[in-house]
Amino acid sequence: MTAPVSRADRLARAADPGHVSAVVAAGPAYAAGSLPVGSPGKVGVLDLDYRVDVEGRTVLADRYQKSPLQVMRPLYVDPVLPHVPVTYLMSTGGGVVGGDRLDIDVRLADRSHAMITTQAATRIHRMDAGFATQDVTLTLGAGAVCEWVPDPLIPYAGSRFQQRLRATVPEDAVLVVSDVLTAGRVARGERWAVDALVSQVEITRPDGTPMVVDTTRIVGGRGAGVGAGQTGPDDDMVTGGADAIGTLFVLAPGPAADLAAAMRAAIGSGVGVRRGEVRCGVSTLPEGCGAWSRVVGGSPEAVEAAVRAVWSAAREHVLGAPAPELRKG
């Protein structure tokens, strides 16, 4: 059994996420009036432990939270799978700012099933100094099901942010990971005007065998001579001129080709997605461990709807239930 980690060690790990991409850390380290890393409200920690109770329902058995991260009591809103809790991640701040370090650790015991989402979109504010990070670790037990489905990420012009998701998934477990990245505040003229944004997904088996390694890297903004109201230099190369990118990974037992076909059909059917609004690709993952999809489109709403449609189709194929309404707003 793993030795328990002290709260001091847990906070130290959150404050120092380890390797940070050089393009994210390249900006000025300090600006007058800014709060340094480790100041109150700058290091957010959230640890969630899920287990199955005697009635067969998954419960949030233990949690530790430190502002600005917090959760309220999970809700059971899935009419088809009423034993599955939906946990809404919240922030006591108005978004992510320079010097923020967010660290989330989710553990699911054998045969438990939990869905984790956010209360609203995550806004990454302009950073005159420093950078922000978010590290997510998902650890699944045998036969567990974890659905990580946050709302979109909105990086403002001049922001520097790195997010990293690492997951450990046994062969008989199911993992769903979605991510929607938007171009920023397009209505204000900010379009991929971030200084630097790096998003990493790493999924392995318990023995360390890698199943998924995926990195999105966008560099532009002030660091490349592009200010707010202009387009970053990597825009067309990375996004194909789109204003949002959506990604969905589904690891599950069973024939990967059948799963990919179900996901592909969701886009072809047009359910929740108007024809021509998005471009979508679906393929199987290595070793037949699952399937994945990437969506680009002209509006975040269209991309978000497409990702949800693909998630719902995959969920129905694997679990026998479509994606539930998550009761936000």
Side-chain angles (χ1 to χ4, degrees), residues 70-305:
Q70 65 178 24
V71 298
M72 302 300 285
R73 187 161 142 195
L75 302 179
Y76 294 83
V77 299
D78 190 334
V80 183
L81 301 177
H83 63 285
V84 177
V86 179
T87 303
Y88 298 83
L89 307 186
M90 295 177 286
S91 173
T92 56
V96 178
V97 299
D100 281 359
R101 302 289 184 266
L102 308 178
D103 195 295
I104 301 168
D105 199 339
V106 180
R107 294 174 291 272
L108 287 90
D110 295 352
R111 291 170 292 284
S112 60
H113 181 175
M115 183 186 302
I116 301 102
T117 185
T118 52
Q119 186 183 38
T122 300
R123 290 166 171 79
I124 313 299
H125 291 275
R126 177 187 181 95
M127 297 170 190
D128 293 324
F131 56 89
T133 63
Q134 175 174 281
D135 279 74
V136 178
T137 303
L138 309 176
T139 306
L140 279 64
V145 180
C146 178
E147 299 178 82
W148 177 266
V149 286
D151 281 352
L153 188 73
I154 306 175
Y156 290 9
S159 59
R160 290 182 294 278
F161 181 67
Q162 175 172 302
Q163 65 175 3
R164 184 182 186 191
L165 182 144
R166 289 171 289 183
T168 303
V169 185
E171 291 187 12
D172 62 348
V174 175
L175 173 68
V176 175
V177 172
S178 77
D179 179 64
V180 176
L181 171 63
T182 74
R185 297 179 295 181
V186 176
R188 294 184 54 139
E190 299 177 3
R191 190 168 184 275
W192 302 115
V194 296
D195 268 12
L197 187 144
V198 175
S199 180
Q200 301 170 306
V201 175
E202 302 169 10
I203 304 174
T204 66
R205 293 302 190 199
D207 64 1
T209 302
M211 295 289 104
V212 173
V213 178
D214 182 72
T215 300
T216 299
R217 177 181 178 273
I218 298 176
V219 180
R222 297 167 310 188
V226 179
Q230 300 180 25
T231 298
D234 282 355
D235 169 39
D236 290 335
M237 180 172 62
V238 174
T239 70
D243 283 342
I245 308 170
T247 306
L248 182 77
F249 294 102
V250 182
L251 275 75
D258 293 349
L259 173 59
M263 294 165 63
R264 198 174 291 116
I267 295 297
S269 69
V271 177
V273 184
R274 287 181 290 185
R275 186 176 298 277
E277 282 190 318
V278 300
R279 289 170 287 166
C280 178
V282 177
S283 64
T284 57
L285 290 169
E287 306 297 328
C289 69
W292 76 297
S293 173
R294 181 151 285 159
V295 182
V296 296
S299 76
E301 294 79 12
V303 170
E304 190 175 7

Side-chain angles (χ1 to χ4, degrees), residues 31-42:
S34 63
L35 292 174
V37 177
S39 299
K42 302 295 289 180

Side-chain angles (χ1 to χ4, degrees), residues 16-65:
D16 182 9
H19 173 71
V20 177
S21 174
V23 298
V24 172
Y30 177 77
S34 63
L35 292 174
V37 177
S39 299
K42 302 295 289 180
V43 179
V45 174
L46 187 60
D47 292 346
L48 306 176
D49 281 276
Y50 295 93
R51 301 171 198 165
V52 179
D53 67 11
V54 294
E55 298 178 352
R57 188 174 74 160
T58 297
V59 296
L60 180 56
D62 193 16
R63 71 177 178 184
Y64 169 66
Q65 60 188 32

